[in-house]
Amino acid sequence: MPDVVIGPESDATILYTAGTTGFPKGAVSTHGAICQTLIAFLSSATINGARRGPSESGSGVSPSFILIVPLFHVTGCIAVMMGCFAWHLKLVMMYRWEPERALQLIERHQVSNFIGVPTQSWDLLESPNFKKYDTSSLTAVGGGGAPAPPALVARVERSFAQGRPSLAYGMTETNAFGIGIYGDEYLSHPTSTGNTTNIVVDVEIRDADGVPVPRGGHGEIWLKSPTLIRGYWNRPDDTASSIVDGWLRTGDLGRIDDEGYLYVEDRVKDMILRAGENVYSAEVEAAIYELAAVYEAAVFGLAHERLGEEVACVVMLKPGATLDEDELRSYLQSRVATFKVPTRVAFTQEPLPRNPAGKFLKREMQQRYFASAE
């Protein structure tokens, strides 16, 4: 093979964005950004449990990971696979996601770290054979890709002998690295994705004009980090609009509280604007997940002639469970503002549509369950 000169600025990977709110884009990362990411993950994992040794973790096993997301996904490729390669950790790879199979592998290989989207943690806990398997080796259970309902955070904490709940806020454009939260800190701030006091990532909340807002204000989340991609493959306009003066416009809405904790409230394109009021789908979804009959839930907006948009939701019920629209709305009335309560509701016994990375496809749900509303 010919000699090739590779430097920190040389292109290394093209990983495609999820495409849940638009057409997927090829995110081009450099060797330098990936190396910075792996070093950053190593330092943060030392703090939140992934890198702890057998005596420190309390589980009595060496650190290891189970790969439950595709390798074309930044979490699977960089955070999990390349992380294990760089840290010399055992990696247990699944062919495809199956909760029962994951439980078998966790027990057999004494896996210590489970990283996926929140729905996969939910799937694991909902397995009818969950209690039959030994999951005491797990020290961290969580991942990222979407906010986790507080009900799931509490359930993870009480369901595993050693496993603590964890969550990280990153994306393809940051090589999956970002702001994370774990254990006691997560239990005390279950709707947060972590403290922004971070030596690797700068975080700001900015308004529509790109001006930083005061602490506690709502706006778009902007990130600056050496882990960022250099741009999008053959899409200079998208690159210029997304990466501004070294800052990434994430397309996510959120706020930072007085303690410095970041709260991710919605995607800019997913936020529902109902009669001039902002409705953040994550807040409504978290309230719906508190109902024992609910397995999965997704909230989104539908076009409405008078209101602009109305709030809609699709709910997958647990096997044998029952729930009707009146019961759902009555419960939500005591949890969220009246204008946030869904006016259009669909129930299903089938898993909600997701992309291969495990994220909900809300545009597809709009067509599948509410086509007549268009």
Side-chain angles (χ1 to χ4, degrees), residues 146-362:
L152 177 59
V153 179
R155 190 172 175 186
V156 167
E157 176 67 14
R158 68 174 182 264
S159 298
F160 296 93
Q162 305 288 342
R164 308 299 305 279
S166 66
L167 184 72
Y169 172 63
M171 54 198 65
T172 306
E173 289 85 349
T174 68
N175 276 295
F177 189 80
I179 305 301
I181 194 166
Y182 172 81
D184 291 343
E185 186 180 34
Y186 197 8
L187 292 172
S188 63
H189 300 78
T191 58
S192 173
T193 189
N195 199 290
T196 54
T197 304
N198 191 310
I199 62 172
V200 180
V201 182
D202 291 325
V203 186
E204 289 186 355
I205 306 297
R206 301 190 184 186
D207 62 21
D209 296 320
V211 178
V213 302
R215 184 63 64 90
H218 297 260
E220 184 177 5
I221 302 170
W222 290 50
L223 302 176
K224 188 175 185 180
S225 169
T227 70
L228 295 186
I229 62 169
R230 71 158 178 83
Y232 298 111
W233 184 250
N234 291 334
R235 300 186 74 159
D237 291 343
D238 286 330
T239 300
S241 62
S242 296
I243 303 176
V244 181
D245 297 329
W247 286 84
L248 172 71
R249 300 185 59 176
T250 66
D252 289 324
L253 293 169
R255 62 184 175 86
I256 299 174
D257 68 12
D258 291 338
E259 296 180 279
Y261 284 91
L262 174 66
Y263 297 81
V264 182
E265 297 172 322
D266 215 339
R267 292 287 296 167
V268 170
K269 294 180 180 179
D270 280 350
M271 186 189 72
I272 305 162
L273 187 60
R274 181 193 179 279
E277 297 282 2
N278 294 342
V279 179
Y280 301 111
S281 59
E283 178 190 1
V284 184
E285 288 168 355
I288 295 174
Y289 272 108
E290 293 177 4
L291 287 160
V294 174
Y295 189 97
E296 292 183 340
V299 174
F300 45 84
L302 293 177
H304 190 277
E305 184 176 2
R306 184 174 65 86
L307 300 173
E309 285 186 298
E310 62 179 331
V311 183
C313 73
V314 180
V315 177
M316 176 190 173
L317 299 176
K318 294 179 182 178
T322 59
L323 183 70
D324 61 33
E325 291 188 32
D326 290 339
E327 291 172 327
L328 175 64
R329 293 195 182 101
S330 176
Y331 182 83
L332 291 179
Q333 288 283 358
S334 64
R335 297 295 189 277
V336 299
T338 300
F339 67 86
K340 299 177 182 180
V341 176
T343 53
R344 300 292 299 274
V345 180
F347 293 99
T348 179
Q349 298 291 338
E350 301 294 326
L352 303 188
R354 307 178 192 175
N355 66 12
K359 296 182 179 181
F360 287 140
L361 295 173
K362 294 187 176 181

Side-chain angles (χ1 to χ4, degrees), residues 1-197:
M1 298 295 290
D3 291 334
V4 178
V5 177
I6 297 175
E9 301 305 315
S10 301
D11 291 344
T13 58
I14 302 179
L15 293 172
Y16 278 77
T17 59
T20 54
T21 58
F23 194 76
K25 300 184 288 290
V28 184
S29 191
T30 64
H31 286 269
I34 291 175
C35 288
Q36 291 276 7
T37 300
L38 295 175
I39 294 170
F41 270 125
L42 177 61
S43 62
S44 64
T46 302
I47 297 171
N48 69 20
R51 184 62 173 165
R52 292 176 177 174
S55 60
E56 296 171 303
S57 68
S59 67
V61 299
S62 298
S64 60
F65 285 74
I66 184 168
L67 182 66
I68 62 172
V69 291
L71 284 172
F72 61 74
H73 188 273
V74 69
T75 299
C77 181
I78 304 300
V80 179
M81 186 189 73
M82 288 300 296
C84 287
F85 178 82
W87 309 335
H88 300 177
L89 303 181
K90 178 170 70 176
L91 175 61
V92 180
M93 302 177 71
M94 295 189 69
Y95 176 65
R96 61 175 177 270
W97 172 242
E98 296 178 12
E100 182 86 3
R101 182 61 173 158
L103 287 166
Q104 293 171 0
L105 293 172
I106 290 168
E107 178 181 83
R108 178 186 304 172
H109 297 283
Q110 294 190 296
V111 173
S112 67
N113 289 267
F114 181 92
I115 295 179
V117 293
T119 50
Q120 289 175 306
S121 296
W122 201 267
D123 288 345
L124 204 68
L125 293 166
E126 284 295 319
S127 170
N129 295 317
F130 174 76
K131 293 184 178 179
K132 294 182 181 180
Y133 293 96
D134 181 4
T135 58
S136 61
S137 60
L138 288 171
T139 60
V141 179
L152 177 59
V153 179
R155 190 172 175 186
V156 167
E157 176 67 14
R158 68 174 182 264
S159 298
F160 296 93
Q162 305 288 342
R164 308 299 305 279
S166 66
L167 184 72
Y169 172 63
M171 54 198 65
T172 306
E173 289 85 349
T174 68
N175 276 295
F177 189 80
I179 305 301
I181 194 166
Y182 172 81
D184 291 343
E185 186 180 34
Y186 197 8
L187 292 172
S188 63
H189 300 78
T191 58
S192 173
T193 189
N195 199 290
T196 54
T197 304

